[in-house]
Amino acid sequence: MIRTVGNLVVAFDCEWIPDPNAARLLFPEAAALNDARARDVLWAANGATEAEPHPFVRLMQSRVVSIAMVRRAAPKNPGEAPTLELIWLPGDPENPRSRQEANIISPFLTAIGKRSPQLVGFNSKHSDLRILAQRAVALGIPAKGFLHRPPKPWEGSDYFARDNDCSVDLMELLTAGGSGRAGAVSLHEAAALSGIPGKFDTHGDAVLDLWLAGRFRDIVEYNCFDALTTYLLWLRMAWVSGHFANDEYEQEQECLRQMLMHQVEEKGLDFLERYLNEWDRLTSLKERLCALAAAEGRPPLPTQPKGTPA
């Protein structure tokens, strides 16, 4: 499933909303409209109906409002813990300049281009990577290291190649390229069934409402939760693929937990405590379900290393 684990891994997630300026540039009738009416034009152009007034808007016509990531640097020596960091853009959600789309996308793409990490996402090859590339073109953001396509696979990272390990799409791996309802899987399903927090606080459909209400920090917090979930799901998939022994998997999870606790205690990032609480809740619930199955003589839920979320 997971073929390789890079020395530098970035598990990331993007949030975006329909861009009124896209409507103004694409449709003459929207040129002088306010934001709300311009968005209506976008929805209409993307197939709005009475039953579905707000359909999915094409990526190129959307505006990136947040990027969050967990960055993992592999330990230098065996037995040591990895270095983990939770990063988000905009760094200051309340600052209008920080919220400008170019000031969100450009630092991320510049950092990716310089360090060439292994990128990990969920449905990233068809959504997150695509919107970053398309909006870089629309906004005129140089992104040589990110968008560069080396002539040969061994001559550099290629995040848009069909089959390499520069970019790992967890959804693609879980569905094995299949389509249809039976094989489909969401981030929430894959995470919650693995004992990892899924969509417990809000959902992607609410991002536009949060933006319109001026709740910019709430968007970033939700984005951070998705990035953490993506990282933990990647970690679990790497473990079941044989890249981590049981004790290493325990250590990796504990390292993330300690990092989050430090952020809460030292930096006052209380929102991360909600994530930790949900993680604990799911862990306890799976343990109870395992105990109940054992008491009733039913096959237990899949076992896993002692001390790790079930």
Side-chain angles (χ1 to χ4, degrees), residues 4-10 70-85 115 117-118 231 234-235 243-244 248 251-252 255:
T4 64
V5 171
N7 288 328
L8 182 64
V9 173
V10 171
V70 176
R71 186 168 62 192
R72 176 192 183 271
K76 295 181 179 180
N77 300 303
E80 293 181 353
T83 301
L84 297 179
E85 190 175 6
R115 305 195 66 182
Q118 183 179 45
Y231 177 77
W234 167 80
L235 187 63
H243 292 286
F244 298 108
E248 292 173 328
Q251 183 186 40
E252 292 278 345
C255 186

Side-chain angles (χ1 to χ4, degrees), residues 35-198:
D35 284 358
R37 294 181 65 190
R39 276 190 292 269
D40 287 339
V41 172
L42 276 185
W43 281 318
N46 283 271
T49 63
E50 185 174 346
E52 189 179 5
H54 298 159
F56 184 83
V57 171
R58 293 180 184 180
L59 298 175
M60 192 74 166
Q61 302 172 14
S62 301
R63 167 183 176 169
V64 174
V65 295
S66 180
I67 304 174
M69 70 214 79
V70 176
R71 186 168 62 192
R72 176 192 183 271
K76 295 181 179 180
N77 300 303
E80 293 181 353
T83 301
L84 297 179
E85 190 175 6
L86 176 63
I87 306 167
W88 57 87
L89 296 163
D92 180 5
E94 306 305 329
N95 186 328
R97 182 175 178 82
S98 185
R99 290 198 307 272
Q100 290 178 5
E101 187 179 15
N103 291 336
I104 295 172
I105 295 176
S106 183
F108 178 76
L109 297 188
T110 298
I112 297 303
K114 286 182 177 179
R115 305 195 66 182
S116 298
Q118 183 179 45
L119 288 178
V120 175
F122 195 91
N123 195 28
S124 50
K125 287 190 177 181
H126 298 287
S127 58
D128 303 82
L129 289 179
R130 294 298 171 185
I131 193 171
L132 289 172
Q134 291 178 12
R135 294 303 286 179
V137 171
L139 297 170
I141 297 173
K144 179 180 178 181
F146 174 70
L147 295 176
H148 177 66
R149 305 294 304 275
K152 299 175 183 178
W154 57 86
E155 292 182 348
S157 298
D158 188 343
Y159 293 114
F160 296 90
R162 289 182 178 273
D163 186 30
N164 69 25
D165 294 330
C166 297
S167 175
V168 179
D169 187 333
L170 302 182
M171 189 182 82
E172 186 177 83
L173 293 177
L174 288 171
T175 59
S179 59
R181 187 169 184 177
V185 60
S186 69
L187 178 61
H188 174 72
E189 290 172 321
L193 293 176
S194 302
I196 297 167

